[in-house]
Amino acid sequence: MSCRVNIKHLLTPAALTLSLIGGCSSTKAIEPAKPTQATTPPPKQVGPLPSTTQGPPSNQVAKEMAEFVARVEAYNQLREKLGGQLPRLPEKATAEALETRQRALEGLIVAARKGAKAGDIFVVDMQTVVRALMVRVFANPTQRAELRATIAEENPTGVKLVVNTRYPDAPVVTMPPEVLKNLPTLPKDLEYRFVGESLILLDTRAHLIVDVMSYALPKN
Amino acid sequence: MRMRVLSVTLTATIALSLACGCQSAPVEPVVLTKGETGASKIGATFPNNKESLKFAVIGDFGSGSAGQYQTAARMAETHSTFPYEIVLTVGDNLYGSQRRQDFVTKFEVPYKPLLDAKVKFYASLGNHDIRDQRNYEHFNMGGKLYYTFKAPRQNVKFFVLETTYPEPEQIKWLEEELKSSTEDWKIAYFHHPLYSSGGRHGSDEQLRDSLEPLFVKYGVSVVFNGHDHFYERTKPQQGITYFVTGSGGQLRQGGFRPNMPFSAKINASTMVFFVAELLGDKMVFKAISREGTLIDEGEITRRGAPPAVVLPAVGVKEPAS
């Protein structure tokens, strides 16, 4: 299956977010930075941010968003390449075929990403951006209560989240549209989900936890 | 029960006459004795017109529990005299693990009689469902998380949404689909309820803000949802009737807030499935328990239907011209 991604389209929510965070009026499309090797240091134990944080400057946000999008796309390209080694799944597959392909794709990706750890995609600086975004999204007290209620619904708390392992046999949390609107758009079959207070990248084709970011929600 | 069944029969007969302008064969009223399992008999109280669209709706069912199996058995029993062609699912089709054996025990076994009778299931996904279900042969989703399909009979289009990940793209797609749809009946279904008296979940007001204006604008007549584990029917909300059909295999007994202003009927004491017959501008429906008893019934006229012809009463003198 081909997957063509328009980087400019992906960055549109980010451009809007820049306007909100940095107060700048520019809505020009932002060219993505070139993908970098995953040499970022392990994430610091930053803990929850204070609720009044202003967040990083807007040009820094743009840079982090662009690099995040590039890292996500790199994962997506890897998944497409490995998925191409497997038989294509028909639109009407048996349960056995579904499980066989999912497990096979899971195995290939896990092997290819051996050593992957939390923060490889949600690098520290991107975590700062996301937390600042969440503070903005959760700023309105009425909306905050509704968002918290949505995220708390059947939230599988107590689950141990390990990057590059299978998502547990647990429900997924419904993502509030307000949160999705403010995060960069992901390629098909990659989703943001909350687990407890963490934000994860979930590969719904391989049923894998791609990355985890702790303390994603504002403290209030 | 006799009077109620008789009145439903008469209503259905009149409705058919208005819809198709023809005389329909009278349906014999069926009497259920107290405590009788009458799922097949309930099926016989429908008009059962050959040209009508007959369908069922279930939600939150894939638990593999005894309750699910009993409810499924009642569905098969109803089908024996009311041969619905399709089943809509409003999500949470499987709970817990979803390995190949789970698809067997939580779906293929309990609904085997219907699958053998070539009844087609058209699924939507809930928060417990893995995304791979969109490729599952028996869910007819065409590999998509959200899709539309035309009913095999009558002038009906179904709009099937995925509401655990409501991306702006999906809302935009929905509006385009609704706008371009020329069918008389537009029926939408998805997991999270826009109107629900549920104590655990309740109405999803954020989703309602996104979807309800589109439904109202583009003439949706009926919406089916799940997520809350009981049965509920609302009074028409801006012309649209909403159903929560979330007790196909799960039940939260008593789990609702009573007397919500939008609510017309609730049952949270037993598992329930829903069946309907749609002909012309009218949809006759019944909600049936896993014990085979009638929980709810009624008739809905589609939005935008021409007004009913009102005949002068017999014996009234027309004014002299």
Side-chain angles (χ1 to χ4, degrees), chain B residues 12-298:
Chain B
T13 307
I14 292 165
L16 280 173
S17 301
L18 288 171
C20 66
C22 58
Q23 291 290 325
S24 60
V27 176
E28 289 296 318
V30 171
V31 176
L32 294 175
T33 56
K34 191 177 174 182
E36 185 174 4
T37 301
S40 61
K41 292 190 179 181
I42 288 176
T45 66
F46 276 99
N48 242 320
N49 187 289
K50 276 187 190 170
E51 302 305 317
S52 66
L53 171 69
K54 302 173 190 63
F55 66 95
V57 186
I58 48 169
D60 304 73
F61 53 90
S63 56
S65 65
Q68 179 195 5
Y69 275 65
Q70 286 160 8
T71 310
R74 293 293 83 74
M75 289 179 71
E77 198 182 323
T78 301
H79 185 266
S80 67
T81 55
F82 182 67
Y84 47 90
E85 292 178 85
I86 62 176
V87 177
L88 319 178
T89 89
V90 292
D92 284 358
N93 308 310
L94 274 81
Y95 285 89
S97 60
Q98 289 167 49
R99 303 155 300 172
R100 67 192 78 173
Q101 57 265 44
D102 296 300
F103 280 83
V104 172
T105 57
K106 297 170 186 174
F107 182 74
E108 290 171 18
V109 168
Y111 305 104
K112 185 175 188 307
L114 297 178
L115 294 170
D116 288 346
K118 305 286 185 254
V119 174
K120 280 182 93 164
F121 286 70
Y122 287 91
S124 64
L125 300 188
N127 54 307
H128 284 264
D129 296 315
I130 61 169
R131 303 316 225 177
D132 272 356
Q133 287 183 20
R134 68 187 146 169
N135 288 97
Y136 178 50
E137 57 182 337
H138 292 305
F139 283 170
N140 295 293
M141 298 177 71
K144 299 182 181 129
L145 294 175
Y146 46 91
Y147 61 102
T148 64
F149 68 98
K150 280 182 67 87
R153 291 172 205 282
Q154 298 293 304
N155 199 354
V156 185
K157 194 166 208 177
F158 291 101
F159 298 79
V160 191
L161 306 182
E162 196 289 309
T163 52
T164 74
Y165 206 77
E167 283 181 308
E169 194 183 309
Q170 184 182 176
I171 308 300
K172 192 173 157 216
W173 166 89
L174 174 65
E175 178 156 23
E176 285 165 11
E177 289 292 321
L178 285 169
K179 198 190 266 188
S180 62
S181 163
T182 56
E183 284 77 11
D184 288 342
W185 282 89
K186 297 179 186 64
I187 297 175
Y189 62 96
F190 44 91
H191 191 57
H192 293 76
L194 303 196
Y195 289 92
S196 166
S197 298
R200 174 94 192 258
H201 300 305
S203 306
D204 191 323
E205 292 181 7
Q206 292 169 6
L207 193 64
R208 191 198 292 173
D209 289 343
S210 300
L211 296 182
E212 189 177 35
L214 296 179
F215 292 161
V216 171
K217 183 176 178 183
Y218 293 109
V220 169
S221 294
V222 178
V223 176
F224 296 103
N225 301 129
H227 201 42
D228 273 315
H229 296 163
F230 54 64
Y231 170 81
E232 183 171 20
R233 170 171 54 88
T234 70
K235 299 167 190 164
Q237 303 297 307
Q238 300 189 73
I240 302 171
T241 305
Y242 293 83
F243 291 91
V244 176
T245 52
S247 55
Q250 295 271 32
L251 181 65
R252 195 157 286 124
Q253 286 189 312
F256 62 91
R257 286 165 290 183
N259 305 316
M260 295 297 281
F262 53 77
S263 186
K265 178 80 178 181
I266 297 185
N267 183 292
S269 59
T270 184
M271 293 181 186
V272 172
F273 65 98
F274 179 99
V275 281
E277 178 168 3
L278 192 154
L279 183 69
D281 296 332
K282 305 284 182 181
M283 184 178 97
V284 176
F285 66 86
K286 296 178 199 292
I288 304 169
S289 75
R290 68 171 158 177
E291 292 82 14
T293 54
L294 186 65
I295 296 297
D296 189 21
E297 60 183 348

Side-chain angles (χ1 to χ4, degrees), chain A residues 11-84:
Chain A
L11 289 174
T12 302
L16 286 171
T17 304
L18 282 179
S19 303
L20 287 171
I21 289 181
C24 66
S25 58
S26 168
T27 54
K28 249 168 121 179
I30 300 160
E31 291 300 321
K34 286 181 186 167
T36 56
Q37 292 291 326
T39 55
T40 51
K44 298 172 197 167
Q45 288 298 316
V46 289
L49 289 180
S51 56
T52 54
T53 182
Q54 292 297 306
S58 60
N59 53 349
Q60 182 68 17
V61 170
K63 176 179 171 295
E64 292 307 328
M65 289 271 197
E67 290 179 1
F68 171 80
V69 166
R71 286 189 296 274
V72 168
E73 182 53 25
Y75 174 85
N76 187 43
Q77 295 295 337
L78 171 68
R79 179 179 64 170
E80 291 294 327
K81 180 183 155 198
L82 296 173

